[in-house]
Amino acid sequence: MAGMTSTDLPLAGVRVLDAVPGPLGAIGRFFGELGAEVIRIEPRGGGADRTAGATLDGIGLAFAAANLGKRVATIDLPADAARFVALAREADILLEARLPGLDLDAVRAANPALVVVSISDFGEQGPWRDWRASDAVLHALTGGLSRSGLPGRPPLLPPGELTFQTAAPQIAWLALAAFIARLRTGKGDRLEVALLEAAMQALDPGYGLSGSAQSGVPLWKMARGRTDERHRYPIFRCADGFVRLCVLAPRQWRGMFRWMGEPPEFAGPEWEKLPTRYRSAALLEAFARFLAPMTRAEVEAGAVAHGVPAAGLLDVSEAIATPQMVARHAFAPVEVAPGVSLPFPNGVVDIDGTRAGIRGPAPAPGGDARFESARPAFDAPSPADMPFAGLKVLDMGVIVVGGDTGRLFADLGAEVVKVENGAFPDGQRQSRDNAPVSLTFAAGHRNKRGLAIDLRSARGKALFLDLVARADVLCSNFKPGTLASLGFDAETLAAANPRLVTVDSSAFGPTGPWSGRLGYGPLVRCSAGLTKQWVYPGEPESFSDTITVYPDHVAARIGACTAAALLIRRMRTGRGGIASISQAEVMLAQKGAEIAALGAEAAGLRLETDEMAEDWLLPCAGDDEYCVATIRAADRAALAGIVGEERAAAEQWAARHSPEEVMAQLQAAGVPAGMMVRVTDMPDSPQYRALGTFRPATHPLIAAPFTVEGRATRSERLPDPDQRPAPRIGEDSAAVVADWLGLDEAAVAALLADGIIEQAA
């Protein structure tokens, strides 16, 4: 934290009680990195999550990764209810996950301004409300498992704990939105958060934005089985491993063509078309021959020289040691036992040019922490129904991470203006049938207004700075340096509006030797070690990560959280700020325990591991039907009562039953289980219906109604989002400049006539 004091951090003075065990402790850790004072609640002797997974001297690495920088208050409920209420009376946010013995009514009576975030696996209503989830079960029930894997093969569980790790920033976003609402009204709230929804929304939402390679086709329209998407982002052998190419745009193809020596068989204009290249086995073979003699580093260097998006496939151990990660201090040593330090992810956000990272080690058990930070005064906007009502956002974001960041604010009341140039539209607009609005764009850009402006002209630049002067937030996800090249560097923006909050997201962050690299998600997954892990067991070349757009959706939520935190700081200090997010660091930060374990291995330290849960993929009756069960040590006896303890017996039993029956019987016995749900079936799934997760939407340029996400969670005070149609390019240009700048009809007409702004017909 060199160069930044604790009071500079955006959540300085915000007090958080954290009673959420396990990987979702990452919510409180993130708040701590942003400056909040976070006290973890746990029983005497410490929570069970302290020793889960790999441990060093009795300290769990997963526990350490989720709880860096916190302090502990030892409280046994209900015996210590008075002490808990006393702490809650001084808190701003309470995070809890069905904390045993908690009298929530008493807590809220003592502190009516408290924001309570109650987290459960499946929500507090509906037929699954008492069921149990695991990471694998959530993959199955949120549509991800049905798409993961290769054609004709069983589905493939993704690596790590992606559903838990991506749900955490979604929950953090909701908590901060509710806290801002509290600052405006003085009234607390209770959010009922279902992990089922949070994981679906933040990993690969089937009814939201999808990658540009989908060409506007939503995930719910994809084929029923797993499709072979490897041609989109092909992987090739090279001299020391594998490399991936993302040759998408015509200019990228021209760079690749020159790099290959301009082979005459690929010289025709038809090769500039992406479908032609996708369908050509001959071209893929030519790529393979060309790349085979080179090392990964040589491929990456040649690709940079020719403007070709490419990346070598790295192990996680290689990923954390790249020059980029070293230069950005993305990992820092933390003492986990006396005299023993291991590397942990050092946060994922730069604030005002300084990393907001680790603020201390994980706490020892047995603490008696009390809140110590001074309670600041906040100059909040006037009360409103929506947390961000009255907030003006200039949204320059594109594709998924950019589109989602602005939409999160729009759904909660902000006036979000999507800024585009008619000659360079957002790639998310494209569709295979050349429709005026794609279904994915309509779903992911709802509630925004559209402004088309020429930012290459002097008048366009001046007009944009006039808009900046009246904006609260500016979002972008260009390659670092793009805004500065247009004349909108940080100093210029701050001079136009010292209260402006800017948030940008890029592949590798705004600094370091890789900051200028082209940052498609498939390449970032290669560089962060995920692609090599997303394979079938024992088949290291069965790469299967092309079906995901991870980490776009979760990076958007981290960006939105940080922008919200800077808005909170602005209420305290009056000044704006800059937040920058590295998508590669987002991925690696969600592997904290794994990275610490690699550090222990490199140091020759011996780790202990308790009996790990096993994820069983059980084929069920029917065509390509499966159920996932997570078998913990405590589940063996219950499992034996149904099918016997052996996996083979469980598979034989499941094959005679539908996936719904298998799921229901296992859950009735207390075993976490979930059937493989396809995206198209999710809205009719009984728990999603009970939660009100989805709702129908319409768009004037789309013939039939379509399905979108509805409410983000259940809340006493956060209203359901509006459903205003996503804008055409420049649909609101004239109205935006008139509303924001007070221009009269003649001034607006002149801007239109001179092409400074464009208005959709």
Side-chain angles (χ1 to χ4, degrees):
M1 294 303 302
M4 180 177 288
T5 67
S6 59
T7 55
D8 288 327
L9 287 166
L11 294 185
V14 177
R15 300 172 170 189
V16 179
L17 274 185
D18 182 355
V20 179
L24 293 178
I27 304 167
R29 185 203 64 218
F30 180 43
F31 287 161
E33 290 167 357
L34 294 178
E37 183 179 6
V38 183
I39 295 178
R40 170 183 160 94
I41 303 298
E42 64 179 24
R44 285 171 177 78
D49 58 340
R50 280 187 172 271
T51 56
T55 62
L56 180 67
D57 291 345
I59 299 170
L61 300 185
F63 171 83
N67 291 281
L68 296 172
K70 301 177 187 177
R71 293 182 297 132
V72 159
T74 301
I75 291 179
D76 285 315
L77 293 175
D80 297 328
R83 288 182 55 224
F84 187 91
V85 168
L87 273 175
R89 187 178 289 113
E90 301 299 319
D92 297 301
I93 298 171
L94 167 62
L95 307 171
E96 67 94 13
R98 293 188 171 177
L99 181 63
L102 174 63
D103 184 347
L104 199 52
D105 290 338
V107 168
R108 300 189 70 195
N111 185 355
L114 185 67
V115 171
V116 178
V117 183
S118 296
I119 306 167
S120 58
D121 288 352
F122 292 101
E124 298 182 10
Q125 55 194 292
W128 301 353
R129 62 185 176 274
D130 295 321
W131 286 11
R132 299 180 181 180
S134 67
D135 188 75
V137 166
L138 291 173
H139 274 300
L141 292 171
T142 57
L145 180 63
S146 67
R147 306 192 305 274
S148 178
L150 301 179
R153 303 286 303 275
L156 175 63
L157 282 169
E161 292 183 314
L162 292 185
T163 61
F164 287 138
Q165 295 292 341
T166 54
Q170 168 70 8
I171 299 169
W173 161 250
L174 296 171
L176 287 181
F179 179 63
I180 286 176
R182 191 211 88 173
L183 291 176
R184 300 185 69 164
T185 66
K187 299 176 181 178
D189 197 355
R190 180 169 182 255
L191 311 183
E192 299 176 12
V193 179
L195 276 178
L196 177 73
E197 291 180 306
M200 179 275 295
Q201 292 158 342
L203 181 52
D204 277 311
Y207 292 87
L209 284 171
S210 55
S212 57
Q214 288 292 116
S215 299
V217 178
L219 296 177
W220 53 268
K221 276 198 168 188
M222 290 181 68
R224 181 178 184 277
R226 286 157 294 289
T227 57
D228 196 341
E229 303 291 332
R230 288 173 292 178
H231 62 283
R232 297 185 188 275
Y233 315 114
I235 293 173
F236 303 95
R237 274 192 171 276
C238 64
D240 63 346
F242 297 90
V243 292
R244 169 175 272 167
L245 298 182
C246 288
V247 184
L248 303 176
R251 69 181 182 281
Q252 295 165 357
W253 160 245
R254 291 192 288 271
M256 188 73 199
F257 181 65
R258 289 192 300 272
W259 187 19
M260 295 172 68
E262 302 187 352
E265 63 268 36
F266 305 117
E270 69 275 13
W271 294 101
E272 296 219 346
K273 297 180 180 179
L274 191 59
T276 302
R277 300 198 300 274
Y278 275 171
R279 290 192 293 262
S280 175
L283 180 61
L284 291 177
E285 291 171 1
F287 284 165
R289 290 193 301 271
F290 176 68
L291 298 170
M294 292 184 254
T295 65
R296 292 173 294 178
E298 289 170 339
V299 171
E300 289 180 336
V304 168
H306 292 85
V308 175
L313 273 64
L314 306 181
D315 297 322
V316 173
S317 59
E318 295 173 313
I320 63 178
T322 61
Q324 178 67 11
M325 296 300 161
V326 172
R328 285 186 48 76
H329 307 288
F331 303 90
V334 176
E335 188 172 72
V336 294
V340 178
S341 293
L342 297 177
F344 285 88
N346 192 20
V348 295
V349 177
D350 291 354
I351 294 178
D352 299 334
T354 300
R355 179 175 291 275
I358 296 170
R359 302 188 66 211
D368 188 22
R370 296 289 189 271
F371 288 115
E372 299 172 351
S373 57
R375 306 207 74 161
F378 293 98
D379 183 15
S382 58
D385 291 338
M386 290 282 204
F388 300 111
L391 195 81
K392 287 181 164 60
V393 178
L394 290 172
D395 177 8
M396 304 182 79
V398 296
I399 312 298
V400 177
V401 65
D404 252 15
T405 305
R407 194 266 305 165
L408 289 166
F409 280 100
D411 278 357
L412 290 177
E415 181 184 354
V416 178
V417 174
K418 181 163 179 57
V419 180
E420 291 178 275
N421 184 314
F424 306 100
D426 187 341
Q428 190 64 230
R429 289 187 179 274
Q430 68 183 357
S431 62
R432 294 178 188 176
D433 56 3
N434 293 316
V437 175
S438 71
L439 282 166
T440 55
F441 188 90
H445 289 270
R446 60 185 181 267
N447 296 325
K448 299 181 183 180
R449 306 173 82 187
L451 167 66
I453 184 171
D454 178 10
L455 292 180
R456 298 188 181 277
S457 70
R459 285 174 65 194
K461 293 177 191 293
L463 181 68
F464 183 72
L465 286 176
D466 285 343
L467 294 169
V468 165
R470 291 156 177 82
D472 297 287
V473 178
L474 171 64
C475 307
S476 69
N477 62 312
F478 304 124
K479 186 169 70 173
T482 300
L483 276 180
S485 70
L486 291 170
F488 308 124
D489 55 68
E491 292 76 16
T492 300
L493 294 172
N497 183 354
R499 290 174 54 84
L500 182 71
V501 167
T502 65
V503 56
D504 62 81
S505 174
S506 60
F508 297 102
T511 61
W514 291 9
S515 61
R517 284 194 178 187
L518 293 168
Y520 295 114
L523 301 182
V524 181
R525 292 194 294 273
C526 291
S527 299
L530 187 67
T531 300
K532 288 192 74 173
Q533 293 181 328
W534 204 318
V535 295
Y536 286 90
E539 301 180 47
E541 297 185 35
S542 58
F543 307 113
S544 300
D545 71 315
T546 53
I547 55 87
T548 184
V549 294
Y550 174 77
D552 285 49
H553 293 284
V554 67
R557 279 142 180 87
I558 291 171
C561 279
T562 311
L566 284 169
L567 290 170
I568 293 169
R569 186 181 75 175
R570 192 178 74 172
M571 296 178 201
R572 178 168 53 86
T573 66
R575 73 177 190 274
I578 302 170
S580 298
I581 291 89
S582 161
Q583 294 169 29
E585 291 171 17
V586 167
M587 285 192 197
L588 287 166
Q590 296 182 346
K591 292 181 171 294
E594 180 181 345
I595 289 166
L598 288 171
E601 180 182 344
L605 301 174
R606 184 170 178 269
L607 297 176
E608 301 288 340
T609 304
D610 61 4
E611 184 177 351
M612 301 292 287
E614 297 180 24
D615 293 320
W616 291 2
L617 184 66
L618 303 175
C620 301
D623 177 22
D624 192 38
E625 301 287 358
Y626 290 86
C627 184
V628 169
T630 297
I631 312 302
R632 306 157 300 180
D635 297 320
R636 297 287 177 177
L639 189 70
I642 303 173
V643 300
E645 291 189 32
E646 299 300 321
R647 183 167 183 167
E651 290 175 346
Q652 293 172 6
W653 167 77
R656 301 192 299 270
H657 300 276
S658 71
E660 293 92 342
E661 293 171 328
V662 173
M663 173 177 67
Q665 289 194 46
L666 290 175
Q667 285 282 4
V671 178
M675 64 178 288
M676 185 179 75
V677 177
R678 292 171 174 82
V679 171
T680 189
D681 297 326
M682 285 164 56
D684 291 325
S685 182
Q687 191 63 16
Y688 286 115
R689 286 203 310 270
L691 294 173
T693 307
F694 301 104
R695 69 180 182 185
T698 60
H699 193 285
L701 298 178
I702 297 175
F706 51 97
T707 299
V708 298
E709 295 171 18
R711 65 183 67 166
T713 192
R714 282 135 305 284
S715 160
E716 295 173 357
R717 302 195 183 278
L718 296 181
D720 289 353
D722 289 338
Q723 188 52 59
R724 300 188 304 276
R728 292 171 291 164
I729 296 175
E731 181 172 346
D732 307 290
S733 294
V736 166
V737 297
D739 294 346
W740 283 39
L741 305 178
L743 300 183
D744 59 24
E745 290 185 12
V748 173
L751 292 171
L752 289 166
D754 295 341
I756 305 304
I757 62 173
E758 299 176 36
Q759 182 75 30

